Amino acid sequence: MICQFLAGEPDRRGIVFDRPEVVPAARKVLAEHGLADRVDVAAGDFFESVPAADVYAPSYILHDWEDGSCLRILRSVKAAAARGARVVLVESVIPPGDAPHPAKFVDLTMLVMLTGQERTAEDYEALLDAAGFALDRIGATPTPFSFIEATLR
């Protein structure tokens, strides 16, 4: 995802933050895309801390966890970031109503297999608010994923 964010933006820099076992593969992909000199790669545990940044873009992370764990992740971001920093969550958002939607099927899977869940727009707003972020907007995409944008208060 960071390769797409930095494509065509030569003045931007980034950080890939992931588990230690992912770091070598991340470095390889960044080198293949010519981004090794513009992207730092850091290993760690987002429940403990994350690197300081202006924008955070966790992609399909929060749906893996129940609300308490999501709050720990978002509070790690809050502790590392300055007021006004942005978070852009890439997640599925369950739409209102009873019409079929891929997020509803994934939600059933999460219920059976993991502790996580898919969430509604209202769920994300409450979660972000509890962690100290103000929801700015949710941008739908042609895929099952949306961009949920928020600002650290």
Side-chain angles (χ1 to χ4, degrees):
M1 191 166 68
I2 199 162
C3 295
Q4 291 296 314
F5 285 159
L6 298 180
E9 299 289 342
D11 295 331
R12 287 190 184 167
R13 295 192 50 79
I15 302 169
V16 171
F17 181 74
D18 214 319
R19 299 188 48 82
E21 61 270 18
V22 176
V23 165
R27 285 194 173 113
K28 181 178 182 224
V29 169
L30 292 167
E32 289 168 357
H33 284 86
L35 294 171
D37 61 333
R38 293 198 294 139
V39 179
D40 296 325
V41 181
D45 179 349
F46 53 48
F47 288 115
E48 301 298 323
S49 65
V50 298
D54 298 324
V55 179
Y56 295 81
S59 178
Y60 218 43
I61 299 292
L62 296 187
H63 89 123
D64 287 339
W65 305 98
E66 86 295 336
D67 287 351
S69 293
C70 290
L71 284 172
R72 285 179 56 206
I73 295 166
L74 291 169
R75 287 178 179 147
S76 290
V77 171
K78 180 181 179 181
R83 186 171 186 233
R86 312 245 320 126
V87 64
V88 181
L89 306 173
V90 181
E91 297 282 352
S92 292
V93 177
I94 297 175
D98 293 330
H101 188 274
K104 293 177 182 179
F105 297 112
V106 174
D107 193 39
L108 289 172
T109 302
M110 301 303 285
L111 176 68
V112 172
M113 299 185 70
L114 300 167
T115 64
Q117 66 186 66
E118 303 306 308
R119 293 174 172 84
T120 65
E122 293 79 14
D123 294 334
Y124 279 111
E125 184 171 23
L127 193 61
L128 288 161
D129 182 63
F133 291 84
L135 177 66
D136 297 320
R137 73 182 197 101
I138 297 177
T141 71
T143 73
F145 301 101
S146 294
F147 292 103
I148 304 160
E149 301 176 32
T151 304
L152 180 59
R153 294 190 292 255

